[in-house]
């Protein structure tokens, strides 16, 4: 739930969870159990962020501001990087980052949605 280092943590998880390819240099392959664990962590992270984003109510003038989601707050500064990486269309990376960009668009709408979607 912390913002500090969210982008670096996300990149580590995605890079580690990516399936091995034929161009993976010898000696750098990640064990399948570690890869699967990172894949599951990414899915749990996405589900938790989705719950936090969609459970936020639209405040009226009398209501306090919705509770912030620090992880997404920190990722807002990396939208361009996430978009560029999503455009690479690398296997699972594309799906994970596309889903995350969708959550960022809902969370930061409308200021961030146009940046993330165009």
């Amino acid at each position: 739930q912390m913002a500090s280092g969210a982008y670096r943590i996300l990149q580590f998880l995605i890079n580690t969870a990516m399936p091995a390819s034929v161009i993976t240099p010898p000696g750098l392959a990640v064990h399948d159990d570690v890869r699967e664990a990172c894949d599951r962590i990414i899915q749990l992270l996405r589900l938790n962020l989705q719950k936090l984003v969609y459970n936020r109510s639209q405040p009226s003038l009398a209501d306090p501001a919705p509770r912030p989601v620090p992880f997404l707050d920190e990722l807002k500064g990396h939208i361009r990087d996430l978009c560029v990486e999503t455009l690479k269309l690398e296997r699972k990376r594309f799906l994970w980052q596309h889903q995350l960009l969708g959550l960022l668009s809902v969370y930061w709408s409308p200021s961030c949605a146009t940046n993330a979607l165009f």
Side-chain angles (χ1 to χ4, degrees):
Q1 295 298 327
M2 295 179 56
S4 180
Y7 182 72
R8 287 184 25 211
I9 291 169
L10 179 66
Q11 291 308 304
F12 170 78
L13 289 171
I14 289 175
N15 290 336
T16 306
M18 284 292 293
S21 68
V22 292
I23 59 172
T24 303
L28 296 179
V30 175
H31 193 277
D32 286 341
D33 291 341
V34 174
R35 187 181 329 282
E36 289 173 16
C38 285
D39 187 347
R40 288 186 183 142
I41 291 170
I42 291 169
Q43 294 306 322
L44 290 172
L45 173 64
R46 186 188 55 82
L47 289 172
N48 187 47
L49 291 172
Q50 184 174 342
K51 183 180 88 172
L52 292 172
V53 168
Y54 288 110
N55 285 340
R56 291 166 43 107
S57 61
Q58 294 295 330
S60 66
L61 293 175
D63 293 335
R67 188 172 177 186
V69 181
F71 193 88
L72 294 178
D73 288 335
E74 202 268 332
L75 289 181
K76 184 180 181 187
H78 297 280
I79 287 185
R80 178 167 164 49
D81 299 325
L82 289 169
C83 288
V84 168
E85 291 173 15
T86 301
L87 291 174
K88 292 178 183 176
L89 301 175
E90 295 177 359
R91 295 186 185 181
K92 289 185 174 183
R93 179 185 302 266
F94 167 78
L95 177 63
W96 293 325
Q97 291 179 321
H98 187 266
Q99 292 169 341
L100 190 58
L101 285 168
L103 282 175
L104 281 166
S105 297
V106 171
Y107 179 71
W108 281 103
S109 65
S111 65
C112 175
T114 54
N115 290 339
L117 298 175
F118 292 107

